[in-house]
Amino acid sequence: MTSELSLHHPRYVRSNRYDPMWVTQNQMGPNALWLTESLTEVLSLAPGMKVLDLGCGKAMSSIFLAKEFGVHVWAADLWISAADNQERIVEAEVEHLVTAVDAEAHTLAFEHGFFDAIVSVDAYQYFGTADLYLGYLVDFLAEGGRLGAVVPALKTELGDEVPTTLAPFWEWEFCCWHNPAWWTHHWAKTGKVAVDHADLIDDGWRDWLQFNDFIAPHVEGWWIDEVATTHNMLEADRGENIGFTRILATKN
Ligand SMILES: C[S@@+](CC[C@H](N)C(=O)[O-])C[C@H]1O[C@@H](n2cnc3c(N)ncnc32)[C@H](O)[C@@H]1O
């Protein structure tokens, strides 16, 4: 279908304004702009706010937040260097709003209470599933600061067996994909935050498939196999198990 080979999305009107090839060239999985825009549906942002984008990858989400909301963003990532991201930030003409930093999520070099919001898009699952991590991270938020994440989800928590439809595609790291109820409990049990919002993004799997199929003709190297496998997995599953959890909390 033509619509599946476009990056136009009726829900994500802000994302529609970005060059699809820029999004394709800087992708690291699902569409970071769509996931970020979904978070901003529930997270209020205002010009001048200080936002940490943790696990920003190639900083598309950071650039998006700066352009769309006028917030100051610290674009922090482990695998992608700050120097690499700085080039993209300058090209996007938001260097007055976005600061690229080399960062490891457990050794952040910021002052406590510095940020009004911390966001993480398709990244928090890599470092945030340990019980004690949230308590470490919220120290970097101001009082009443917000913590928001969008992450891949298994709609039903993994039991002893991998769901049958996913078995041919399963990678052990998918065990960090959790549903909204799991994340809500994981965060709330610390007593450090109040969870304001936790849900599955409607038809998130369709969005992932649409994006995956759009980028497929343009990727190179190991991404060719990656997008083929992702396509087959999402088509086989058709949303039975896979989605995205969106979660937002306020620091107590
Ligand atoms: C799948 S990529 C997503 C990147 C980007 N948010 C996006 O959606 O395009 C996951 C990102 O998490 C980052 N990450 C993983 N573990 C991390 C850690 N311990 N500290 C900081 N970043 C981490 C990686 O560097 C990587 O860029």
Side-chain angles (χ1 to χ4, degrees):
M1 280 170 60
T2 310
S3 64
E4 289 174 351
L5 292 177
S6 151
L7 280 199
H8 179 84
H9 196 300
R11 174 171 173 174
Y12 300 124
V13 294
R14 293 176 184 270
S15 301
N16 289 340
R17 298 198 284 256
Y18 292 74
D19 177 1
M21 292 318 299
W22 179 78
V23 182
T24 299
Q25 281 154 10
N26 295 311
Q27 65 82 24
M28 294 180 70
N31 188 328
L33 296 192
W34 291 348
L35 299 185
T36 306
E37 189 165 351
S38 80
L39 190 58
T40 64
E41 290 170 350
V42 291
L43 170 63
S44 294
L45 295 170
M49 284 174 66
K50 291 189 271 188
V51 179
L52 173 62
D53 184 359
L54 189 53
C56 68
K58 296 190 175 175
M60 288 197 293
S61 48
S62 311
I63 291 166
F64 176 89
L65 291 170
K67 278 186 181 282
E68 299 298 323
F69 300 97
V71 293
H72 291 273
V73 186
W74 278 257
D77 200 71
L78 181 64
W79 304 341
I80 307 298
S81 73
D84 188 309
N85 276 336
Q86 185 65 23
E87 286 183 22
R88 251 179 303 281
I89 290 162
V90 170
E91 275 169 24
E93 301 179 348
V94 286
E95 64 270 32
H96 57 299
L97 288 174
V98 183
T99 305
V101 286
D102 293 305
E104 201 291 315
H106 301 85
T107 53
L108 297 173
F110 302 105
E111 284 174 36
H112 280 180
F114 186 73
F115 294 106
D116 300 299
I118 298 174
V119 302
S120 187
V121 173
D122 188 22
Y124 196 87
Q125 73 274 16
Y126 291 113
F127 44 78
T129 56
D131 289 345
L132 303 184
Y133 183 70
L134 180 133
Y136 164 77
L137 186 61
V138 295
D139 279 348
F140 297 98
L141 280 175
E143 288 308 308
R146 314 295 297 283
L147 173 63
V150 185
V151 288
L154 290 178
K155 292 180 176 176
T156 303
E157 284 298 303
L158 192 60
D160 295 336
E161 303 287 336
V162 170
T164 315
T165 48
L166 297 184
F169 315 101
W170 189 256
E171 295 177 27
W172 77 269
E173 295 96 331
F174 296 172
C175 69
C176 71
W177 293 2
H178 294 291
N179 65 24
W182 187 93
W183 281 109
T184 298
H185 179 64
H186 182 62
W187 284 11
K189 72 183 178 184
T190 65
K192 296 271 188 180
V193 295
V195 175
D196 307 308
H197 190 102
D199 64 1
L200 287 166
I201 293 177
D202 290 340
D203 280 339
W205 74 274
R206 285 187 195 278
D207 296 348
W208 193 352
L209 184 60
Q210 179 184 345
F211 184 65
N212 187 78
D213 289 356
F214 179 84
I215 66 173
H218 307 289
V219 297
E220 295 176 346
W222 67 271
W223 273 106
I224 295 169
D225 285 345
E226 178 75 14
V227 297
T229 305
T230 300
H231 173 94
N232 292 338
M233 179 176 74
L234 292 169
E235 274 290 6
D237 187 60
R238 298 196 68 77
E240 185 184 330
N241 296 287
I242 295 174
F244 290 98
T245 292
R246 172 177 65 167
I247 182 161
L248 178 68
T250 303
K251 180 178 177 178
N252 286 334

